[in-house]
Amino acid sequence: MNDQTNLHQAFISKLEKHYGTFSPENNRFQSTSNSKIARDLFYSDSQFSRLINNTASEGELQRAVSNVERLLRVNELQRKIDRLDGTKSIYQTSKWKYATLITLVIIIISSSAFFLLRGNNSIDQMHPANPSRYEMLRWSFENNYIRPYITLKELPDDCNYPCYKYQGKWELEKEYKIPFFRERNGFHYVAKQATMYATSTDKSGLQGNIFEGYEYQKHEIWYDKREYPIDSFLVKGSKSKVRPEYNESALELNPNFVKLAYVHTFFKTEFTIDSTRIKRTGKTIGRDIEFLAESEIIPKLDAKDLLKELKGEINAIARNRLEDFSKPVMCNPSVAPKEDFHLVEEGDMLSFDCQFRTGRFLVDYTKNYVLKDQYINNYCR
């Protein structure tokens, strides 16, 4: 029996532990449709069909076995939570529950970051039909096996737990641009996308004034062939304020600018609610640099050797993982979207005015999060 066959049998065997007996005659499991299982594992129907029929590659099967093992571990943790002694204080139970679940989320996100940092193609090979780099993060919050949010019934009797209304999915309202410095001028950072899942985790007690965000960011790195210095893009007389026309420009329409790479980042943020102000701090969990194809870049540059130099500069961002490329040096608190936290609703925004340190410059930018999918829409009464 070869390794391929062993992997396929291990894949089927592990799935049977959760989905019931597998029938090889019709390639189906006892209790669940193949489409449902594919969604649980974040595969397309065609990908899952290849795995079930043993026509997938050995690498695909290896990753599929790991995915199922992760699913089984999640289910076991959920069973342990469900078996908690019902006579315990609801606050003791919820505190243990959230600590366990958030630890689980961190493990899963760290696992996905590990795949990202192995190489640019690892995630795409796992999900060629859906190459989004944040699938593992989304799975951690949008599935039937993990419930990392506090629920209405777990709130204190007086409902004084402000962070419960901030739970859910937040997205970047609009892109922003930052000229930045490596060993040469000419680099520009465009924040294109951010998706954050916020959950209430007040580790200090039951005050409910802390919530955490687990965030996927997709940004771009551009190169200005003119290599204009950073202050060329700042308001005249200002040391940090970016010109509005620069921030609103479309770099893809300017022949002087060449897009070099995408930056995929997993970011953990902590928000602290202080009356009607919200403070933000954070750190990177993992980062991946995805270069565009050389055939796409070289015709836009003056020399092929230049691309090698530029790649060396950009790779330094990924190598220096202890220094967060997307974390602001300084952020002012955001004003809470509603004075009464019970009234926070979908469409509300958190706006942080920040500064990014690059070389000897501090560059201003504003990062706005919009609440797109609120976990608790009802009011606590």
Side-chain angles (χ1 to χ4, degrees), residues 173-240:
E173 185 224 6
K174 62 180 179 179
E175 71 176 49
Y176 55 86
K177 299 181 180 69
I178 300 174
F180 73 96
F181 178 81
R182 289 295 308 166
E183 296 302 320
R184 66 198 300 164
N185 287 312
F187 292 105
H188 296 259
Y189 176 72
V190 182
K192 298 293 290 187
Q193 174 188 349
T195 301
M196 178 182 70
Y197 293 89
T199 180
S200 178
T201 61
D202 190 347
K203 300 181 180 65
S204 62
L206 295 170
Q207 298 176 10
N209 62 350
I210 296 175
F211 62 100
E212 290 182 340
Y214 294 87
E215 181 176 348
Y216 163 75
Q217 304 169 354
K218 181 180 180 181
H219 300 155
E220 299 173 345
I221 294 179
W222 291 71
Y223 168 67
D224 176 11
K225 292 186 289 186
R226 302 163 299 181
E227 296 194 358
Y228 283 178
I230 290 174
D231 54 7
S232 302
F233 302 93
L234 302 181
V235 173
K236 188 175 181 179
S238 170
K239 295 182 179 179
S240 61

Side-chain angles (χ1 to χ4, degrees), residues 67-311:
N67 285 345
V68 179
E69 288 175 344
R70 188 177 297 113
L71 176 67
L72 293 174
R73 289 197 297 272
V74 170
N75 287 329
E76 178 57 29
L77 280 173
Q78 184 63 57
R79 283 193 291 270
K80 289 180 180 179
I81 291 170
D82 293 340
R83 289 197 297 266
L84 284 173
D85 185 357
T87 62
K88 288 183 178 180
S89 162
I90 190 169
Y91 304 117
Q92 290 176 322
T93 300
S94 61
K95 186 176 180 181
W96 184 90
K97 175 180 177 181
Y98 298 131
T100 302
L101 287 174
I102 291 304
T103 299
L104 176 61
V105 171
I106 293 172
I107 290 171
I108 292 173
I109 296 175
S110 299
S111 173
S112 68
F114 166 76
F115 281 114
L116 285 175
L117 295 171
R118 284 177 60 190
N120 292 336
N121 297 323
S122 58
I123 296 295
D124 293 349
Q125 290 170 351
M126 289 173 66
H127 305 292
N130 187 5
S132 173
R133 299 294 181 105
Y134 90 107
E135 286 305 316
M136 188 63 74
L137 175 63
R138 183 162 72 91
W139 182 86
S140 300
F141 285 86
E142 296 184 27
N143 71 84
N144 295 324
Y145 306 103
I146 306 176
R147 288 290 180 268
Y149 301 112
I150 190 170
T151 63
L152 276 175
K153 68 179 181 180
E154 292 166 311
L155 296 178
D157 291 340
D158 63 3
C159 294
N160 188 19
Y161 206 85
C163 63
Y164 87 94
K165 293 294 284 185
Y166 291 89
Q167 296 183 121
K169 183 178 180 180
W170 297 74
E171 293 180 356
L172 185 68
E173 185 224 6
K174 62 180 179 179
E175 71 176 49
Y176 55 86
K177 299 181 180 69
I178 300 174
F180 73 96
F181 178 81
R182 289 295 308 166
E183 296 302 320
R184 66 198 300 164
N185 287 312
F187 292 105
H188 296 259
Y189 176 72
V190 182
K192 298 293 290 187
Q193 174 188 349
T195 301
M196 178 182 70
Y197 293 89
T199 180
S200 178
T201 61
D202 190 347
K203 300 181 180 65
S204 62
L206 295 170
Q207 298 176 10
N209 62 350
I210 296 175
F211 62 100
E212 290 182 340
Y214 294 87
E215 181 176 348
Y216 163 75
Q217 304 169 354
K218 181 180 180 181
H219 300 155
E220 299 173 345
I221 294 179
W222 291 71
Y223 168 67
D224 176 11
K225 292 186 289 186
R226 302 163 299 181
E227 296 194 358
Y228 283 178
I230 290 174
D231 54 7
S232 302
F233 302 93
L234 302 181
V235 173
K236 188 175 181 179
S238 170
K239 295 182 179 179
S240 61
K241 187 175 181 180
V242 171
R243 292 184 179 184
E245 58 269 26
Y246 162 73
N247 214 8
E248 295 166 6
S249 64
L251 299 187
E252 61 271 16
L253 300 180
N254 189 330
N256 293 308
F257 287 88
V258 180
K259 183 161 63 175
L260 301 177
Y262 296 102
V263 182
H264 304 277
T265 304
F266 283 95
F267 196 80
K268 180 187 174 187
T269 306
E270 183 172 279
F271 299 90
T272 303
I273 304 170
D274 182 7
S275 184
T276 59
R277 293 161 64 86
I278 299 176
K279 300 176 183 178
R280 169 180 176 253
T281 59
K283 64 180 180 179
T284 290
I285 296 175
R287 181 184 295 113
D288 176 35
I289 305 293
E290 177 191 5
F291 287 98
L292 274 68
E294 291 190 2
S295 60
E296 188 175 345
I297 300 174
I298 290 175
K300 300 176 182 178
L301 296 175
D302 296 329
K304 183 176 180 179
D305 292 342
L306 177 59
L307 178 57
K308 184 178 180 180
E309 296 176 22
L310 299 177
K311 280 190 172 184

